[in-house]
Structure formats: C-alpha cells, structure tokens
Amino acid sequence: MTEQKYILENCKSFELKDIFDCGQCFRWNEEEDKSYTGVIKNGVLNVRKDKEKIIFEGVLDKNIKDVCESYFDLETNYEDIKEKLSNIDEYLKQSVEYGKGIRILKQDLWETIISFIISANNNIPRIKGIIERISKKYGNKIIYKDKEYYTFPDMHALGKASVQNLRDLGLGFRDKRVYDTTKMFLENEITLQELEEEKDVKLLREKLMSLPGVGEKVADCIMLFALKKFSVFPVDVWVRRVMNELYIKEEDETKVSKEFLQQLAKEKYKDLAGLAQQYLFYQRRNA
DNA sequence: ACCCAGGGTCGTC
DNA sequence: GACGACCCTGGG
C-alpha cells in the first residue's frame, strides 16, 4: 500500500458530481473542498478537479494510473457517445446536456452484485448506509490522511456473516438473498470469472439471474456498472416515469410494461441504451 | 402522528 | 403473467 498520485489533463466529459451522484456507485462521498473520496477494491482514492486537470491521489495496492484508466473508463470517448445520443431526439439531448460529465464506472463485480441486491426496493441513502456497515464489520481497515476507511469484504470475509448478522446491519429482507448468493459463490456453483468472460449478454443475464436477489433490473445494473455492457436498459421506477412522460403519456405509469419500455429503448437508443438510461435517470431524479 | 415510497424480487395463484 | 408481501428509514 503506497500513496500515489496521477494527474490527467485535457479529459473531456469528466465532472465529479455527475459521475459520483448519478446513482451508479454507493461508496463515494463529497469532501468539504468539493473533491470526492471513495473506497475502491483494496484502496482509498481521492479525486479533485483543478481547472482542466483531474487529480487522483490515494493509497492503492496497484498502479494508480492503471486503476484509474480502468475504473473511470478513460479509454471510452464520451464526446462521441453524447453526440450520437443527442441526435436521437430533443429530450435525450437535454438529458445529455444536464449530465454531460457522466462516465460509467467499471466497478468491482463482486461488490456490484452484492450492492445491487441490497438496492432492491430501497433508497440510496439507506443503501449507502448498509454497504458502509457491511464494510466496517467485514472489510479491511485502511488509514488515509488520518481517517479510517473500510474495503468492501470479499466473498470469504462476507461468508462469515450469518443471516442474523446481516439483519442486524439493517439489510431487512435482503439478508437471506445476500447470504445465499455469497454461499453460491463460495461453493463454486458460479464464479466471478465465468461472469467476466461471458460475452453473450443474454446468457450473462441468465447466469446473473440464477443468483438469489438478482432479477432483471439488478442483473442489468450489474452488467452496466461492472461489466461495461452499454446496451442493457435497466428499468426502475425513475426510468419508467421519465420514459412515460416523454414518449408514452399513459395516465398510470405503472401500467406500462417493462418489456414495452425495453423494446422502445432498443429501437430508439440501440447499443447505447444503457448510457441513455443513465442520462435520463440522473436528470429525472435530480431535476 | 401517520403515511408513503424507495435504482425490485420472490412466491403464489 | 398479474399481485401482494417484504425490512426499514427518510421525508412529506
């Protein structure tokens, strides 16, 4: 664990607030100086902007430049993506403008699976609290600038938690789902590697949905936020709301089926549906 | 005080 | 394929 620094210049489409506050991640918090600090993998990272420079600092067990390039999806040209999406229609153009600094993070697969199982019928402040308590109890402590941080526990560490332990941390009815999913990985009924390597989105989705607590929506979020599958279109209450308001105008939005929304998204947004979803979600939820 | 909704999933009919 | 139950908490 060494303290490292990496400075990125001339990076377009990179706004801290947009990236960390658009609902894709749960472990980043804003500091008083407007920078953000988060725990990723086995380290702590702080990110700040100084004019056009983006400054990454932290303690990591791997090279900070490599970590950032992967985690912040720096190889992807978001200017191109935003251009394409903006040309689809005026609504999306506005959403893209609102969330112009968004990047889809490539987050740790294990942590993303558990985090989104916890997200089911839950709200973001509570989700963050639960993940924080899980990390504090079962993760490893890291000190960075005199503050304590806790890594998200790997499956072996989390496997030490009983259903009751999880209930005590406030997971509610999601306790058994997290417990059973962890058990499936520990017993090698499914492996992270086979999920990472599965190229076929449909098959990947099926494999993810074999996990307790992973339905369609959670599977899509995992694929989008950990496996860079930009074509999937997670349908939650917010996306259903905004899609209905923009294109369908049904009186009762809950009557609009998920299949219909996904078909519509596929027609309109094609292989960039996941990104479109994120811009729409972010604007509708915040504005 | 009371009610409602929240990045849904699951079991049952 | 539709429908209700489900832990818990912040905000109206």
Side-chain angles (χ1 to χ4, degrees):
Chain A
M1 285 300 229
T2 52
E3 194 160 338
Q4 302 177 63
K5 186 170 182 175
Y6 171 55
I7 297 175
L8 182 64
E9 305 198 46
N10 300 322
C11 181
K12 292 180 175 173
S13 299
F14 196 117
E15 294 298 333
L16 303 178
K17 191 168 174 27
D18 294 343
I19 292 170
F20 298 126
D21 208 26
C22 71
Q24 62 178 324
C25 54
F26 303 108
R27 299 215 70 197
W28 286 86
N29 295 303
E30 191 175 21
E31 306 282 356
E32 283 181 14
D33 67 359
K34 301 295 176 190
S35 71
Y36 280 76
T37 306
V39 184
I40 65 170
K41 280 270 189 179
N42 301 314
V44 178
L45 195 62
N46 176 268
V47 189
R48 65 179 193 275
K49 264 191 107 164
D50 183 8
K51 293 172 190 166
E52 291 309 301
K53 288 181 185 170
I54 299 148
I55 300 148
F56 305 91
E57 278 184 285
V59 286
L60 298 164
D61 59 355
K62 288 182 188 157
N63 178 278
I64 191 168
K65 183 168 181 283
D66 297 340
V67 169
C68 291
E69 278 177 356
S70 163
Y71 188 80
F72 290 97
D73 194 22
L74 297 179
E75 306 286 298
T76 300
N77 187 335
Y78 280 77
E79 295 301 304
D80 277 359
I81 288 171
K82 290 192 294 184
E83 174 74 22
K84 283 181 190 156
L85 290 175
S86 295
N87 287 331
I88 290 171
D89 61 47
E90 200 56 34
Y91 304 126
L92 197 52
K93 187 173 182 177
Q94 282 181 29
S95 291
V96 167
E97 180 56 29
Y98 180 86
K100 56 175 179 280
I102 289 179
R103 304 185 82 83
I104 303 294
L105 301 170
K106 180 168 167 40
Q107 302 181 70
D108 178 71
L109 179 58
W110 168 249
E111 178 174 342
T112 305
I113 290 170
I114 301 300
S115 296
F116 278 90
I117 289 174
I118 291 167
S119 79
N121 195 27
N122 211 341
N123 56 62
I124 292 179
R126 185 174 165 216
I127 297 165
K128 289 180 86 167
I130 290 169
I131 294 170
E132 213 51 47
R133 290 193 290 280
I134 286 179
S135 300
K136 188 161 187 177
K137 185 155 182 190
Y138 297 101
N140 296 321
K141 189 201 294 190
I142 298 178
I143 306 282
Y144 176 62
K145 293 194 192 275
D146 298 324
K147 272 180 148 177
E148 291 181 359
Y149 297 89
Y150 295 86
T151 61
F152 190 83
D154 63 24
M155 61 181 74
H156 304 285
L158 192 55
K160 295 195 168 64
S162 67
V163 175
Q164 187 58 47
N165 288 150
L166 294 170
R167 181 59 64 101
D168 294 341
L169 292 176
L171 274 79
F173 61 80
R174 306 161 196 82
D175 54 3
K176 189 168 169 12
R177 298 174 182 177
V178 168
Y179 180 88
D180 289 340
T181 287
T182 303
K183 191 147 239 175
M184 277 182 68
F185 278 100
L186 287 175
E187 292 173 354
N188 279 314
E189 284 184 54
I190 188 168
T191 65
L192 293 173
Q193 192 185 346
E194 71 178 287
L195 294 172
E196 301 264 14
E197 288 173 356
E198 180 57 69
K199 299 295 176 218
D200 186 299
V201 170
K202 234 181 133 179
L203 284 176
L204 178 57
R205 191 183 218 209
E206 280 176 26
K207 286 184 179 180
L208 286 167
M209 285 177 65
S210 72
L211 298 167
V214 179
E216 289 182 50
K217 158 67 171 58
V218 170
D220 286 353
C221 283
I222 294 166
M223 288 194 280
L224 185 55
F225 300 137
L227 297 170
K228 292 176 75 168
K229 299 287 183 268
F230 290 169
S231 65
V232 303
F233 193 76
V235 176
D236 59 44
V237 293
W238 294 101
V239 172
R240 171 167 289 150
R241 194 166 292 158
V242 67
M243 291 285 282
N244 184 48
E245 287 167 1
L246 297 182
Y247 305 116
I248 306 165
K249 305 183 198 300
E250 179 79 31
E251 231 175 280
D252 183 357
E253 70 194 30
T254 60
K255 293 274 189 291
V256 182
S257 80
K258 180 180 294 190
E259 290 70 26
F260 184 77
L261 290 170
Q262 281 173 329
Q263 186 56 39
L264 187 60
K266 197 174 178 184
E267 283 167 19
K268 286 185 177 295
Y269 312 141
K270 304 196 169 63
D271 58 334
L272 295 177
L275 285 139
Q277 186 268 8
Q278 203 54 22
Y279 290 108
L280 291 168
F281 170 84
Y282 182 48
Q283 186 189 26
R284 184 59 184 83
R285 188 175 154 266
N286 285 37

